[in-house]
Every structure is written in C-alpha cells, then in structure tokens.
Amino acid sequence: MIKYVVIGMVIGYIFGCCQTGYFVGKLNRIDIRDYGSGNSGTTNTLRVLGKKAALFTFLGDALKGVFTVLIARFWLLPHVSGINPVAFLLLAGFGTVLGHNFPIIMKFKGGKGIATTGGVFFAVDPRMALICLAVFIAVTAASRYVSLGSICMVTALPFILYFFYGYQPVVLAVGIIYAVMAIWQHRANIGRLIHGNENKLGQKVK
C-alpha cells in the first residue's frame, strides 16, 4: 500500500512541477516570478498579464490535479488495499500540490496551490469542488481579496470532507494537511491582510 501511495505522490509531484504560469509568462517574454508577488500562480498572472493569461494559468494548474487523480484512480487504485480510496486519491493529488508549490526544476519557487487543489478535489468528487468554488467566490466577491477567498476555501476542506464522507480519520487528516499547506503558503498575505495593505482583486501591480 505504501509503495503505491509513494508512486502516486511522485507522479503527482512530476505533474505539479509543470508551472503553467511560468510558461505563460515566457510566452509574454517575462519571468512571472520577477513581478508582483513573485509566484507563478493564477492571481499573480492576472495582476501582471491580465485575464486571458490568468485563465490559461488556472486551467493548466487545475488540470495537473485532475490528471494526477485520474491516473491514481484508474491505474494505481485497483492495486491498493488497506487505505480509504478517497484518502489515497487525495494523497496522490497532494503530490501535485507539492510539485506546484515547490518545483525542483525551478529552485522550489512555484505557486500557492489553490487552483491545483481545486483540480484535485474536482477529480475526486465534483460536489466538493462546487462547494469550494462557492466559498471562494462568495468570500472574494464580498471582500475583493483573492487571498482571503483562498484561505477560507482551504479552511473549509476538512468540513466538506466530513460532510460527504463522515468521520474518516485518515481522510480528514489529509484534508487538514491540504489546508495547513495552503495557509502556510499564504502567510505573507495573512500578514498584509492584518495590516490592511493586501492587494485587492483587479488591482494592478508592477
């Protein structure tokens, strides 16, 4: 069982290392990490390069999570026993988030993993992804802070997992790991939110 968990996470990590925002930036003759917040995720791409570039970045980052879960579900899961199937798929997907956040081929400087997390949860159970999206949209629309919407979305993940799958300790633990990772990646944003100088949605950065 452990062997297949490791294989799934390694496959996920390899997918995660493909940084959509970086490639979109290069098509626009820049390194996206040299601008704005310095990461290669959707929000920074939106602020630096605009909506079209951000859309491509979001889709690419989300699809990494989808592809990982599909591979884990149809190729690895039939050989696995002794672990909750949902936990197994989420662990494989978490490898993708790790690859996205800390890509070895880019000196571990990646994004924050929100779109990739959304792709993972969509592939595991679209119902969960719809609730995540609703939380993100509601909070972001009310506050105009993408970071706050992202933080609230990931904070809701363990509760969403509990709602759909009940008290499954391993599943809930993996959900908490996703939330902790995303909140850690947003630690600078949290500091700016506290001090009132976080960039709002639609605000351009240099």
Side-chain angles (χ1 to χ4, degrees):
M1 180 265 289
I2 296 297
K3 177 180 75 172
Y4 287 105
V5 170
V6 172
I7 291 172
M9 292 189 72
V10 169
I11 291 172
Y13 184 84
I14 293 170
F15 272 119
C17 284
C18 299
Q19 296 288 303
T20 312
Y22 176 79
F23 294 120
V24 170
K26 284 300 181 182
L27 288 174
N28 287 271
R29 300 179 181 178
I30 66 168
D31 185 336
I32 193 69
R33 299 171 301 165
D34 293 334
Y35 297 83
S37 65
N39 75 73
S40 57
T42 300
T43 303
N44 197 42
T45 305
L46 173 64
R47 290 187 176 126
V48 176
L49 294 174
K51 294 179 181 178
K52 185 176 180 180
L55 177 60
F56 279 113
T57 301
F58 172 81
L59 291 175
D61 288 346
L63 286 173
K64 294 187 297 190
V66 172
F67 289 151
T68 299
V69 172
L70 291 179
I71 290 172
R73 185 191 298 276
F74 294 110
W75 182 39
L76 299 176
L77 189 57
H79 305 286
V80 174
S81 61
I83 185 172
N84 183 288
V86 173
F88 177 77
L89 296 177
L90 289 174
L91 283 170
F94 188 69
T96 316
V97 175
L98 285 174
H100 176 79
N101 292 352
F102 311 108
I104 190 171
I105 59 175
M106 297 176 66
K107 299 181 180 180
F108 303 102
K109 188 179 180 182
K112 296 178 181 176
I114 299 302
T116 303
T117 295
V120 169
F121 275 75
F122 177 81
V124 172
D125 188 333
R127 298 173 301 173
M128 295 194 297
L130 288 174
I131 294 176
C132 288
L133 182 62
V135 171
F136 174 79
I137 290 175
V139 175
T140 302
S143 67
R144 293 185 61 210
Y145 291 119
V146 175
S147 57
L148 184 59
S150 300
I151 292 166
C152 290
M153 185 196 88
V154 296
T155 301
L157 292 178
F159 300 98
I160 295 170
L161 286 166
Y162 180 80
F163 178 79
F164 284 111
Y165 298 103
Y167 182 65
Q168 300 284 345
V170 178
V171 173
L172 292 176
V174 177
I176 291 170
I177 290 171
Y178 271 88
V180 170
M181 169 63 75
I183 291 170
W184 171 256
Q185 289 296 95
H186 282 83
R187 60 194 183 279
N189 302 85
I190 293 171
R192 290 193 293 269
L193 285 167
I194 291 172
H195 292 97
N197 54 9
E198 174 73 324
N199 292 318
K200 290 191 174 184
L201 183 65
Q203 184 176 341
K204 286 285 186 179
V205 298
K206 295 182 180 180

PDB file of all heavy atoms in Angstrom, residues 9 14 16 18 21 48 61 68 83 132 142 149 171 173 177:
ATOM      1  N   MET A   9       2.188   9.893  -5.319  1.00  0.00           N
ATOM      2  CA  MET A   9       2.667  11.220  -4.964  1.00  0.00           C
ATOM      3  C   MET A   9       3.823  11.654  -5.861  1.00  0.00           C
ATOM      4  O   MET A   9       3.931  12.843  -6.201  1.00  0.00           O
ATOM      5  CB  MET A   9       3.088  11.251  -3.494  1.00  0.00           C
ATOM      6  CG  MET A   9       1.918  11.095  -2.531  1.00  0.00           C
ATOM      7  SD  MET A   9       2.361  11.386  -0.793  1.00  0.00           S
ATOM      8  CE  MET A   9       2.584  13.171  -0.806  1.00  0.00           C
ATOM      9  N   ILE A  14       5.631  15.236 -10.215  1.00  0.00           N
ATOM     10  CA  ILE A  14       6.144  15.499 -11.571  1.00  0.00           C
ATOM     11  C   ILE A  14       5.168  16.376 -12.348  1.00  0.00           C
ATOM     12  O   ILE A  14       5.569  17.358 -12.991  1.00  0.00           O
ATOM     13  CB  ILE A  14       6.409  14.173 -12.311  1.00  0.00           C
ATOM     14  CG1 ILE A  14       7.582  13.440 -11.634  1.00  0.00           C
ATOM     15  CG2 ILE A  14       6.722  14.433 -13.778  1.00  0.00           C
ATOM     16  CD1 ILE A  14       7.771  12.023 -12.131  1.00  0.00           C
ATOM     17  N   GLY A  16       3.008  18.384 -11.011  1.00  0.00           N
ATOM     18  CA  GLY A  16       2.968  19.680 -10.354  1.00  0.00           C
ATOM     19  C   GLY A  16       4.110  20.593 -10.741  1.00  0.00           C
ATOM     20  O   GLY A  16       3.956  21.816 -10.738  1.00  0.00           O
ATOM     21  N   CYS A  18       5.264  21.167 -13.551  1.00  0.00           N
ATOM     22  CA  CYS A  18       4.975  21.876 -14.809  1.00  0.00           C
ATOM     23  C   CYS A  18       4.236  23.170 -14.464  1.00  0.00           C
ATOM     24  O   CYS A  18       3.032  23.159 -14.195  1.00  0.00           O
ATOM     25  CB  CYS A  18       4.126  21.006 -15.733  1.00  0.00           C
ATOM     26  SG  CYS A  18       4.912  19.467 -16.224  1.00  0.00           S
ATOM     27  N   GLY A  21       1.953  29.046 -15.145  1.00  0.00           N
ATOM     28  CA  GLY A  21       2.186  30.490 -15.110  1.00  0.00           C
ATOM     29  C   GLY A  21       3.557  30.877 -15.634  1.00  0.00           C
ATOM     30  O   GLY A  21       3.709  31.902 -16.300  1.00  0.00           O
ATOM     31  N   VAL A  48      -0.447  40.695 -13.359  1.00  0.00           N
ATOM     32  CA  VAL A  48       0.682  41.119 -14.197  1.00  0.00           C
ATOM     33  C   VAL A  48       0.340  41.087 -15.682  1.00  0.00           C
ATOM     34  O   VAL A  48       0.686  42.004 -16.434  1.00  0.00           O
ATOM     35  CB  VAL A  48       1.921  40.240 -13.907  1.00  0.00           C
ATOM     36  CG1 VAL A  48       3.073  40.596 -14.846  1.00  0.00           C
ATOM     37  CG2 VAL A  48       2.346  40.380 -12.458  1.00  0.00           C
ATOM     38  N   ASP A  61      -3.061  24.748 -14.246  1.00  0.00           N
ATOM     39  CA  ASP A  61      -2.757  24.328 -12.884  1.00  0.00           C
ATOM     40  C   ASP A  61      -3.822  23.386 -12.333  1.00  0.00           C
ATOM     41  O   ASP A  61      -3.511  22.437 -11.605  1.00  0.00           O
ATOM     42  CB  ASP A  61      -2.617  25.555 -11.982  1.00  0.00           C
ATOM     43  CG  ASP A  61      -1.337  26.330 -12.254  1.00  0.00           C
ATOM     44  OD1 ASP A  61      -0.451  25.794 -12.940  1.00  0.00           O
ATOM     45  OD2 ASP A  61      -1.238  27.488 -11.795  1.00  0.00           O
ATOM     46  N   THR A  68      -3.573  13.865 -12.310  1.00  0.00           N
ATOM     47  CA  THR A  68      -2.971  13.027 -11.271  1.00  0.00           C
ATOM     48  C   THR A  68      -4.000  12.106 -10.640  1.00  0.00           C
ATOM     49  O   THR A  68      -3.757  10.906 -10.471  1.00  0.00           O
ATOM     50  CB  THR A  68      -2.328  13.903 -10.184  1.00  0.00           C
ATOM     51  OG1 THR A  68      -1.292  14.696 -10.756  1.00  0.00           O
ATOM     52  CG2 THR A  68      -1.743  13.043  -9.079  1.00  0.00           C
ATOM     53  N   ILE A  83      -6.231   1.170   2.657  1.00  0.00           N
ATOM     54  CA  ILE A  83      -6.356   2.616   2.818  1.00  0.00           C
ATOM     55  C   ILE A  83      -7.651   3.076   2.179  1.00  0.00           C
ATOM     56  O   ILE A  83      -8.091   2.517   1.159  1.00  0.00           O
ATOM     57  CB  ILE A  83      -5.152   3.362   2.190  1.00  0.00           C
ATOM     58  CG1 ILE A  83      -5.236   4.870   2.483  1.00  0.00           C
ATOM     59  CG2 ILE A  83      -5.066   3.099   0.692  1.00  0.00           C
ATOM     60  CD1 ILE A  83      -4.001   5.645   2.057  1.00  0.00           C
ATOM     61  N   CYS A 132     -16.355  24.261  -2.743  1.00  0.00           N
ATOM     62  CA  CYS A 132     -15.124  25.051  -2.631  1.00  0.00           C
ATOM     63  C   CYS A 132     -15.217  26.311  -3.477  1.00  0.00           C
ATOM     64  O   CYS A 132     -14.862  27.411  -3.031  1.00  0.00           O
ATOM     65  CB  CYS A 132     -13.927  24.216  -3.079  1.00  0.00           C
ATOM     66  SG  CYS A 132     -13.447  22.908  -1.938  1.00  0.00           S
ATOM     67  N   ALA A 142     -17.206  39.404  -1.752  1.00  0.00           N
ATOM     68  CA  ALA A 142     -17.557  40.280  -0.634  1.00  0.00           C
ATOM     69  C   ALA A 142     -16.379  41.131  -0.183  1.00  0.00           C
ATOM     70  O   ALA A 142     -16.554  42.294   0.198  1.00  0.00           O
ATOM     71  CB  ALA A 142     -18.074  39.442   0.537  1.00  0.00           C
ATOM     72  N   GLY A 149     -10.336  34.724   0.035  1.00  0.00           N
ATOM     73  CA  GLY A 149     -11.197  33.696  -0.536  1.00  0.00           C
ATOM     74  C   GLY A 149     -10.506  32.350  -0.572  1.00  0.00           C
ATOM     75  O   GLY A 149     -11.110  31.308  -0.269  1.00  0.00           O
ATOM     76  N   VAL A 171      -8.926  10.408   6.009  1.00  0.00           N
ATOM     77  CA  VAL A 171      -9.427  11.379   5.036  1.00  0.00           C
ATOM     78  C   VAL A 171      -9.397  12.784   5.625  1.00  0.00           C
ATOM     79  O   VAL A 171      -8.930  13.739   4.982  1.00  0.00           O
ATOM     80  CB  VAL A 171     -10.858  11.012   4.584  1.00  0.00           C
ATOM     81  CG1 VAL A 171     -11.442  12.118   3.700  1.00  0.00           C
ATOM     82  CG2 VAL A 171     -10.863   9.687   3.833  1.00  0.00           C
ATOM     83  N   ALA A 173      -7.566  13.842   8.082  1.00  0.00           N
ATOM     84  CA  ALA A 173      -6.174  14.247   8.303  1.00  0.00           C
ATOM     85  C   ALA A 173      -5.553  14.789   7.020  1.00  0.00           C
ATOM     86  O   ALA A 173      -4.842  15.801   7.038  1.00  0.00           O
ATOM     87  CB  ALA A 173      -5.361  13.070   8.829  1.00  0.00           C
ATOM     88  N   ILE A 177      -4.105  18.539   6.140  1.00  0.00           N
ATOM     89  CA  ILE A 177      -2.778  18.781   5.563  1.00  0.00           C
ATOM     90  C   ILE A 177      -2.879  19.749   4.382  1.00  0.00           C
ATOM     91  O   ILE A 177      -2.059  20.666   4.245  1.00  0.00           O
ATOM     92  CB  ILE A 177      -2.133  17.450   5.126  1.00  0.00           C
ATOM     93  CG1 ILE A 177      -1.760  16.620   6.360  1.00  0.00           C
ATOM     94  CG2 ILE A 177      -0.893  17.696   4.261  1.00  0.00           C
ATOM     95  CD1 ILE A 177      -1.321  15.212   6.033  1.00  0.00           C
TER      96      ILE A 177
END
